[in-house]
């Protein structure tokens, strides 16, 4: 596909931001898991986060964005990653189950709104979603 300079820059920035987001989250997890107050349960949650952040889906998204390919599958993988990260974090909170459910639903709505906003940005930049 032939993209304009603005479209290419947008996709390049999106790729870089996504890669930095994943690296930053892995760094945060690494810092938290070595804290003396981290319990075995905390460490299990951190392991789950690391697995997710190093998954094939994350690599697929990085490759798609690096290649300037935005598909519905790419957007779905980003949405799933963000929802799963939030759910793991919420599941490890010491809180009332009802409040955990509320937080999960609230976070899910936020992730869905982010996806919709991204689709609108892509449309406004005339970047097709395959």
């Amino acid at each position: 596909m032939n993209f304009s300079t603005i479209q290419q820059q947008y996709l390049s920035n999106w790729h870089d931001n996504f890669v930095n987001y994943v690296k930053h989250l892995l760094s945060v997890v690494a810092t938290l898991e070595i804290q003396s107050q981290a319990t075995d349960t905390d460490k299990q949650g951190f392991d789950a986060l690391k697995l997710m952040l190093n998954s094939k889906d994350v690599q697929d998204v990085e490759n798609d964005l690096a290649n300037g390919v935005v598909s519905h599958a790419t957007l779905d993988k980003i949405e799933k990653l963000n929802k799963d990260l939030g759910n793991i974090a919420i599941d490890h909170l010491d809180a009332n189950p009802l409040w955990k459910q509320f937080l999960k639903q609230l976070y899910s709505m936020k992730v869905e709104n982010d996806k919709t906003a991204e689709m609108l940005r892509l449309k406004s930049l005339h970047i097709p979603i395959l």
Side-chain angles (χ1 to χ4, degrees), residues 14-87:
W14 189 11
H15 169 267
D16 293 348
N17 288 337
F18 183 79
V19 170
N20 289 334
Y21 170 68
V22 171
K23 285 181 183 177
H24 183 74
L25 286 174
L26 285 167
S27 176
V28 168
V29 168
T31 300
L32 293 174
E33 72 183 344
I34 62 171
Q35 299 295 314
S36 60
Q37 64 266 35
T39 65
D40 287 340
T41 302
D42 293 332
K43 291 177 184 178
Q44 289 171 356
F46 295 140
D47 286 343
L49 292 173
K50 288 188 291 189
L51 279 173
M52 193 176 307
L53 292 167
N54 288 301
S55 70
K56 183 179 179 329
D57 281 352
V58 169
Q59 293 170 6
D60 289 347
V61 170
E62 288 180 20
N63 289 334
D64 287 352
L65 295 177
N67 293 322
V69 176
V70 181
S71 67
H72 288 283
T74 306
L75 295 172
D76 291 345
K77 287 176 184 178
I78 293 169
E79 178 183 25
K80 182 176 180 343
L81 171 70
N82 286 325
K83 283 182 177 182
D84 290 349
L85 289 170
N87 285 337

